[in-house]
Amino acid sequence: MSTAILTGPPDAGTPSPLADDLRALGFQVVEADGPRAVAERVADAPPAERVAVVDRRFRGHRHALRLALTDPRFDAGAVPGALAVQTAARPALARALADLAGNGGAAAPVAAGPAAAQGGAPTATVSDGDVLADLLAGELGRQGAEPYRPELGVLVARVARGPQEQAAAADAIADVDEEAVRLRSAVKSRDGFFTTHFISPYSRYIARWCARRGLTPNQVTTASLLVALIAAGCAATGTRAGYVAAGVLLLASFVLDCTDGQLARYSLQYSTLGAWLDATFDRAKEYAYYAGLALGAARGGHDDVWALALGAMVLQTCRHVVDFSFNEANHDATANTSPTAALSGRLDSVGWTVWVRRMIVLPIGERWFLIAVLTAATTPRITFVVLLIGCGLAACYTTAGRVLRSLTRKAKRTDRAAQALADLADSGPLAEAVARVTAPLARRLPAFAPPLLAAIGAGALTATAALAARGTWWVVAAAALYVVTSGIAVARPLKGALDWLVPPFFRAGEYGAVLALAAVSQVNGALPAAFGLVAAVAYHHYDTVYRIRGGTGAPPRALVRAAGGHEGRALLVAVLSAALVTGAHRTGFTVALTVLAAVLALLVVTESIRFWVSSGAPAVHDESGEPA
């Protein structure tokens, strides 16, 4: 239960449903007049409880109050006439109330908001007719705890002074279909073509149905995972009926995947656990389905497509790393003068080009629709070949566009961006040691050196693993070169125009080497074991991304070092391949990859679960609108 404090002049006009609205939103409603009385009410509320201050004259839609007062992602939220704070902002609210109580009673101009945010003495005082909630919101901004102010659109939220303003507010409220607005706002403003036109028109109603029955987004997310796993099981049967059922269930899983986010936005049920589930289950579902298709191909048609399945997982993960690295590198860049970005903006002004460009990148909706249809109508091999071609073209399109933007953009990259790229690089003890030794040399290298070195090392390792004879120790030499180039690449802050390419090159080097070594080994079970190993490592990399997005930083360095870093794992797999692929005990390579996958999965998943379910993790939700 939270506490809402009604304050301000008595409302002598038309009776307002304000108290009922607040109770419906989970608030216990109490009353207090003046800063001192409100401060006492705030002090009486339990420390962990959300507290709201609402003017009695407030007129508006319940959903406007919901957006401002109940969103768990923000320490404070406000609309005209209403303010709410969570635990983190309670001290700031107490200080603001104390300041206003000390100045109360004297009529003086109010200066709050951006001008007051420069600090100094309190600039707001309270006089008759002032809106205490608005004054407090301004004071919070001055103290550096600026409240979140949601975009209301056509929703009404105002303080009505007198009968005429009350009547006008009542008419404005009646003119808006609040439920329709709430349903529309449950859908991402930017999404893929298939999702926007074929899923969201009805999945939003499923979200409302779930909300009215008390279901949570986490339950819907879990249901989506279970349906996808059943789909993978159907694909693993290797029968035509199983493939058809798998395609249908995969689409059903995607509908639920859209529904969980819409339910979170519809009811503002964001949570720490929900952030973790939403961030990882999409990948778990897709990769489990790839494994199901590979098993089905082996069972139904005696066709070994594990290399294609692993290739699809590697390509898709590298695509995402390109997206994440580019966005983090430019998250807070101080300038954007790229002609390429300007051209993109002009293209977005032409309606049909927006959808074409979103479809070209093959986001999750289009990708899962393609996989589902091909599964039902063709074979796993055809499904993977088409998927690899489509994702490959999409990767070329997006990466080329981002390279052009970076080369033509005059921007100063920040320390925060450089740190994010360093965290995404996932460098282990070996690369760190090389970086320390080569730091003086790295500072003298040209600006394009880090991505070039990363590309050379990754390319040499992957090419050697794919083209050299199986069991050769040359691949160990290539892995050692990869360690050296990786260390030099991160020996200085990654602030160059193309330094965001360093993490994707590292991912391609590590994943590609594991794929190539397993495929070339010709050892029974090596490719499925490599699939599990890459899946465990990819989970760690996705977990890193979403921690950075949530503002909590990368996983602990102790975990990264214990996992070996990308260069350490690549070197270890190269040594295992050279030592175990040839000879009388070739199955030892499969066993070694399986054990390594299990150990890494246990290590990274355990720490990830500890973090995301801990009380210190933020209540976040992926609202970027970018198709995954």
Side-chain angles (χ1 to χ4, degrees):
M1 180 66 72
S2 303
T3 299
I5 305 168
L6 292 182
T7 188
D11 189 355
T14 305
S16 168
L18 177 58
D20 292 337
D21 288 341
L22 291 170
R23 293 188 186 98
L25 296 177
F27 287 95
Q28 174 188 359
V29 179
V30 298
E31 299 196 12
D33 291 315
R36 288 188 179 86
V38 171
E40 292 174 359
R41 289 291 194 179
V42 171
D44 290 340
E49 193 171 276
R50 181 191 302 269
V51 175
V53 179
V54 185
D55 195 280
R56 293 187 180 96
R57 298 163 295 178
F58 176 88
R59 293 293 187 275
H61 290 103
R62 179 183 296 177
H63 192 52
L65 288 172
R66 179 183 289 108
L67 292 172
L69 306 186
T70 68
D71 196 324
R73 298 172 298 173
F74 305 102
D75 294 334
V79 290
L83 166 74
V85 298
Q86 297 199 76
T87 302
R90 286 275 294 269
L93 177 63
R95 290 193 299 269
L97 284 166
D99 290 342
L100 290 175
N103 290 339
V110 175
Q118 299 176 359
T123 55
T125 59
V126 183
S127 61
D128 292 341
D130 280 339
V131 180
L132 180 59
D134 295 347
L135 296 179
L136 291 172
E139 286 295 297
L140 289 180
R142 186 185 66 82
Q143 296 184 30
E146 184 69 40
Y148 164 69
R149 300 179 187 273
E151 294 184 8
L152 298 179
V154 297
L155 293 176
V156 177
R158 65 182 68 164
V159 175
R161 297 173 173 86
Q164 290 185 341
E165 291 188 10
Q166 291 176 6
D171 291 340
I173 293 170
D175 288 341
V176 176
D177 186 341
E178 180 179 4
E179 182 59 24
V181 172
R182 190 179 177 190
L183 278 172
R184 285 197 303 271
S185 63
V187 178
K188 279 185 178 181
S189 59
R190 182 180 185 272
D191 220 327
F193 178 84
F194 179 74
T195 304
T196 299
H197 295 285
F198 294 94
I199 304 297
S200 293
Y202 60 88
S203 61
R204 68 185 74 182
Y205 295 100
I206 300 176
R208 182 173 66 181
W209 182 90
C210 292
R212 291 177 176 177
R213 282 152 184 81
L215 298 177
T216 67
N218 293 351
Q219 292 171 331
V220 178
T221 302
T222 304
S224 176
L225 174 65
L226 293 176
V227 172
L229 293 178
I230 295 172
C234 291
T237 63
T239 64
R240 178 53 52 195
Y243 289 151
V244 172
V248 173
L249 288 172
L250 185 64
L251 290 178
S253 174
F254 181 64
V255 172
L256 291 174
D257 182 60
C258 295
T259 300
D260 65 356
Q262 292 165 358
L263 175 58
R265 287 182 287 273
Y266 181 84
S267 55
L268 298 187
Q269 294 185 76
Y270 304 107
S271 67
T272 56
L273 180 60
W276 174 68
L277 295 176
D278 189 65
T280 57
F281 276 16
D282 280 352
R283 304 289 81 78
K285 290 179 285 189
E286 190 165 3
Y287 299 158
Y289 193 83
Y290 291 171
L293 281 177
L295 290 170
R299 176 177 295 180
H302 305 290
D303 188 11
D304 187 354
V305 297
W306 275 106
L308 295 176
L310 180 51
M313 180 165 67
V314 169
L315 178 56
Q316 189 56 40
T317 304
C318 289
R319 283 186 63 200
H320 281 142
V321 175
V322 168
D323 295 342
F324 299 144
S325 295
F326 178 80
N327 290 336
E328 288 303 324
N330 296 282
H331 181 272
D332 48 7
T334 55
N336 183 3
T337 57
S338 168
T340 308
L343 174 61
S344 177
R346 287 195 296 271
L347 288 175
D348 281 344
S349 65
V350 182
W352 63 271
T353 65
V354 174
W355 296 118
V356 171
R357 294 170 68 213
R358 291 186 190 179
M359 293 173 68
I360 288 175
V361 301
L362 209 63
I364 187 170
E366 278 77 356
R367 193 167 67 250
W368 282 26
F369 175 74
L370 178 67
I371 295 171
V373 171
L374 290 175
T375 299
T378 64
T379 65
R381 179 171 290 275
I382 293 175
T383 300
F384 282 125
V385 169
V386 173
L387 181 63
L388 284 166
I389 293 173
C391 288
L393 292 174
C396 291
Y397 170 78
T398 55
T399 304
R402 286 166 179 174
V403 168
L404 287 174
R405 289 190 185 202
S406 300
L407 291 175
T408 58
R409 179 178 188 169
K410 297 179 181 179
K412 182 178 180 181
R413 273 74 183 184
T414 64
D415 291 337
R416 177 200 174 282
Q419 183 59 53
L421 291 180
D423 292 335
L424 291 174
D426 191 36
S427 300
L430 296 178
E432 288 180 334
V434 172
R436 286 193 296 269
V437 173
T438 61
L441 169 65
R443 285 193 289 268
R444 294 195 296 269
L445 293 175
F448 57 83
L452 179 61
L453 287 168
I456 290 173
L461 175 59
T462 305
T464 304
L467 301 177
R470 62 189 180 91
T472 179
W473 285 90
W474 280 109
V475 73
V476 178
L481 173 65
Y482 178 69
V483 171
V484 174
T485 56
S486 298
I488 300 174
V490 297
R492 69 186 189 198
L494 297 175
K495 293 186 177 182
L498 295 178
D499 283 0
W500 58 268
L501 285 169
V502 171
F505 282 139
F506 287 166
R507 298 296 83 77
E510 180 185 1
Y511 298 165
V514 173
L515 167 59
L517 290 172
V520 170
S521 71
Q522 299 178 9
V523 174
N524 185 38
L527 278 168
F531 188 97
L533 174 59
V534 173
V537 176
Y539 175 90
H540 166 58
H541 290 145
Y542 279 110
D543 186 55
T544 301
V545 166
Y546 283 98
R547 291 197 198 202
I548 295 173
R549 278 189 170 184
T552 59
R557 286 301 303 167
L559 173 70
V560 176
R561 294 189 180 100
H566 67 96
E567 80 289 349
R569 292 187 296 267
L571 180 61
L572 176 59
V573 174
V575 171
L576 292 174
S577 171
L580 300 176
V581 163
T582 58
H585 302 289
R586 294 172 56 194
T587 56
F589 185 52
T590 298
V591 173
L593 290 180
T594 302
V595 171
L596 181 58
V599 171
L600 285 174
L602 181 63
L603 180 67
V604 299
V605 173
T606 299
E607 203 286 327
S608 175
I609 293 175
R610 180 209 63 77
F611 170 79
W612 285 106
V613 302
S614 69
S615 58
V620 297
H621 193 76
D622 180 13
E623 292 298 316
S624 65
E626 298 172 1

